[in-house]
Amino acid sequence: SSSKELASLLYSEHQLAEGRAQSIADIYRSHKSALREMLGRYSTASAMPQLIRTDWRMDMDVGNESDLSAKKPLYHMALHTTSTGGAA
């Protein structure tokens, strides 16, 4: 993807200022090969487990019945990874 597309994603999804989003996209693009090489080395290292599945749910904590404005979302996530030996 182009630097402009990445900047647009950073701007829209992460609410970064347009100039900052473009700067980050430009830096990423200029170092993309080196970053991919480093990440590739770590992703194949046996000591690094890989994510194979996630489970999640959201509960709503409503506090007490008299103050419904105090409700808060509670997120629960379970990350399932491979073992260090590579098996799930």
Side-chain angles (χ1 to χ4, degrees):
S1 72
S2 75
S3 181
K4 267 197 177 314
E5 290 171 342
L6 179 56
S8 177
L9 174 75
L10 292 170
Y11 172 72
S12 64
E13 295 292 321
H14 301 287
Q15 290 80 41
L16 292 176
E18 287 184 60
R20 184 172 298 238
Q22 188 61 55
S23 294
I24 291 170
D26 291 342
I27 291 168
Y28 168 76
R29 189 165 187 213
S30 67
H31 299 286
K32 184 177 178 178
S33 295
L35 287 168
R36 286 183 178 234
E37 181 183 328
M38 283 187 279
L39 290 171
R41 273 187 275 160
Y42 289 119
S43 69
T44 58
S46 62
M48 297 290 291
Q50 294 185 353
L51 182 65
I52 56 172
R53 189 177 91 231
T54 61
D55 295 321
W56 67 275
R57 77 173 198 268
M58 182 185 78
D59 296 331
M60 189 61 73
D61 180 2
V62 293
N64 60 51
E65 293 179 14
S66 63
D67 184 14
L68 292 178
S69 66
K71 60 185 176 183
K72 298 176 197 163
L74 300 171
Y75 297 96
H76 305 271
M77 292 189 71
L79 304 176
H80 303 273
T81 62
T82 59
S83 67
T84 56

